[in-house]
Amino acid sequence: MEKSDPAGLFEVFVPRVKKVPAYRLKIQLGDDSTTIRDPYSFPPTIGELDLHLFGEGKHEQIYDKLGAHVMKVGTVKGVAFAVWAPHASGVSVVGDFNNWDGRVHQMRMLGASGVWELFIPDLTAGLLYKFEIHRQRNLPFLKADPYAQFTEVPPDTSSIVYQSTYKFRDDEWMKARASREHFRQPLSIYEVHFGSWRRKLEGANGNQPFSYREMAKPLADYITEMGFTHVEFLPLKEHPYGPSWGYQVSYYYAPSARYGAPDDFRHLIDYLHQRGIGVIMDWVPAHFPKDAFALARFDGSALYEHLDPRKGEHPDWGTYIFNYGRNEVRNFLLANALYWFKEFHLDGLRVDAVA
């Protein structure tokens, strides 16, 4: 290929080709060379129906399309990235795999949907990433993935590509739940702040919280002994500020990494169900913190929140309030509620901060 622009653009014209064949790029760097598949040779991983439903606010599993997902395109395995940033002039996905260089994997906007997408071949689960957002006449900035399903442990803020391998074993509970007359049966709920209910005091790093897996048996034993029917967790979605008790959420689709990986949280719920205990979690669809790495002013505009501070800011909590008038924001929250039911087998959500 010939260098057609000093900035680093290379091109070659191949005549009389009706269909672009599968190909790779061999890149020469001094005496070294590397061969890669071209991410831009793959078609979009999000269809027109997905974009239409998202625009209407009715895509109940949009979390399967937006975010980062390990998948195959044809026979090639990689990770599909997608993010909603309609007011950005450009978006790149950056991470461990490209030295956090926003020039390498620039994403493409899908029509007028505001969704940016790119499939990067040969990537795997476990990689750190963020989105680099560009606005005209402004410096680019980094944002965590709103639909990320796993994160670094705070205070680190990167998203992590995740692929669940967990197999639930609570079939008996789920079948019985479907036929249960909930309003006619006793209900006794034990409310738990996970990080402080029981701590590990021994060892060099004493006074540490239990992990999801470590908590399963002692919590089930206590709830059974005390006669409760359900446990209600204070929000276990990732949050930057520990003393908020999880009520100022930065990652709505990721269980807090403070206590383990998402599959560890699945194990906790699964174990409680097998012991005959229902699981409820507090859910906060009213407001979110202003931390610069997360939802606040996501694409440089008031995207998830109201621009008008009289509607978009909570003066007592120092947080932003969701803009429910925007279809995509309602879809973000609707799909999030369904996500915790479908992917984690939660039995209920306690909706917090609603007046």
Side-chain angles (χ1 to χ4, degrees):
M1 305 177 76
E2 295 182 353
K3 193 172 187 176
S4 59
D5 190 285
L9 181 66
F10 290 78
E11 65 179 3
V12 64
F13 176 70
V14 182
R16 291 189 290 275
V17 175
K18 294 182 179 179
K19 182 179 179 182
V20 178
Y23 65 91
R24 300 190 184 206
L25 301 173
K26 184 177 181 180
I27 301 171
Q28 193 74 29
L29 299 169
D31 295 332
D32 300 324
S33 66
T34 183
T35 302
I36 66 168
R37 291 183 174 92
D38 181 7
Y40 304 101
S41 67
F42 294 90
T45 57
I46 303 178
E48 291 185 6
L49 179 59
D50 295 311
L51 297 174
H52 175 75
L53 291 174
F54 180 55
E56 287 191 337
K58 297 178 180 178
H59 199 312
E60 295 183 350
Q61 291 181 231
I62 191 62
Y63 53 82
D64 283 338
K65 298 298 180 179
L66 297 183
H69 301 282
V70 178
M71 62 181 297
K72 276 188 176 181
V73 175
T75 60
V76 179
K77 192 172 183 179
V79 177
F81 295 93
V83 63
W84 179 56
H87 301 111
S89 58
V91 180
S92 299
V93 57
V94 296
D96 292 340
F97 45 88
N98 59 17
N99 294 318
W100 300 87
D101 188 339
R103 297 170 297 177
V104 179
H105 290 117
Q106 300 178 46
M107 305 175 77
R108 53 196 174 195
M109 167 106 62
L110 300 181
S113 65
V115 173
W116 301 77
E117 178 271 350
L118 188 66
F119 174 79
I120 304 179
D122 303 320
L123 297 189
T124 59
L127 296 170
L128 302 181
Y129 73 97
K130 282 189 176 183
F131 295 114
E132 183 178 278
I133 310 292
H134 295 256
R135 291 292 301 268
Q136 291 184 358
R137 296 182 297 277
N138 287 282
L139 292 173
F141 52 92
L142 296 180
K143 284 290 188 178
D145 180 2
Y147 288 85
Q149 297 181 14
F150 191 31
T151 76
E152 290 187 289
V153 177
D156 295 324
T157 60
S158 291
S159 309
I160 301 177
V161 179
Y162 192 75
Q163 185 177 30
S164 175
T165 59
Y166 192 80
K167 303 296 183 184
F168 278 95
R169 294 174 293 176
D170 60 352
D171 291 349
E172 184 177 341
W173 170 270
M174 298 297 283
K175 289 177 182 177
R177 189 183 74 177
S179 59
R180 190 175 296 142
E181 293 184 315
H182 300 279
F183 295 106
R184 295 179 179 272
Q185 295 188 350
L187 183 69
S188 182
I189 302 171
Y190 185 61
E191 186 180 55
V192 172
H193 174 245
F194 194 97
S196 63
W197 183 76
R198 185 168 293 189
R199 309 278 291 187
K200 293 181 288 187
L201 303 179
E202 66 281 355
N205 300 317
N207 197 22
Q208 297 295 310
F210 276 33
S211 69
Y212 293 125
R213 289 181 179 269
E214 292 170 335
M215 184 71 84
K217 188 178 186 304
L219 182 59
D221 289 345
Y222 182 81
I223 290 173
T224 301
E225 179 184 353
M226 299 301 292
F228 291 98
T229 63
H230 290 69
V231 61
E232 177 193 330
F233 292 116
L234 273 61
L236 281 172
K237 297 171 287 298
E238 195 56 270
H239 51 284
Y241 183 54
S244 75
W245 287 2
Y247 287 99
Q248 295 194 7
V249 181
S250 55
Y251 276 104
Y252 273 77
Y253 285 82
S256 178
R258 291 170 167 88
Y259 316 116
D263 278 357
D264 297 327
F265 186 42
R266 288 182 171 93
H267 169 81
L268 171 63
I269 297 171
D270 194 6
Y271 184 87
L272 291 169
H273 281 172
Q274 291 177 56
R275 293 284 299 272
I277 300 166
V279 185
I280 301 167
M281 184 169 65
D282 283 16
W283 184 57
V284 192
H287 64 115
F288 57 90
K290 296 181 179 180
D291 296 69
F293 74 88
L295 293 178
R297 301 297 193 261
F298 185 79
D299 61 359
S301 69
L303 188 64
Y304 285 87
E305 67 275 27
H306 281 279
L307 178 61
D308 186 342
R310 294 170 297 180
K311 294 182 177 180
E313 296 188 31
H314 200 295
D316 296 328
W317 297 331
T319 53
Y320 285 130
I321 298 171
F322 281 105
N323 182 357
Y324 307 108
R326 186 164 279 156
N327 290 347
E328 295 86 351
V329 173
R330 291 202 309 276
N331 203 152
F332 173 80
L333 293 169
L334 169 67
N336 184 248
L338 297 175
Y339 170 78
W340 293 104
F341 291 130
K342 183 175 185 293
E343 299 295 328
F344 289 84
H345 289 195
L346 282 183
D347 302 293
L349 296 171
R350 172 189 171 263
V351 184
D352 179 71
V354 173

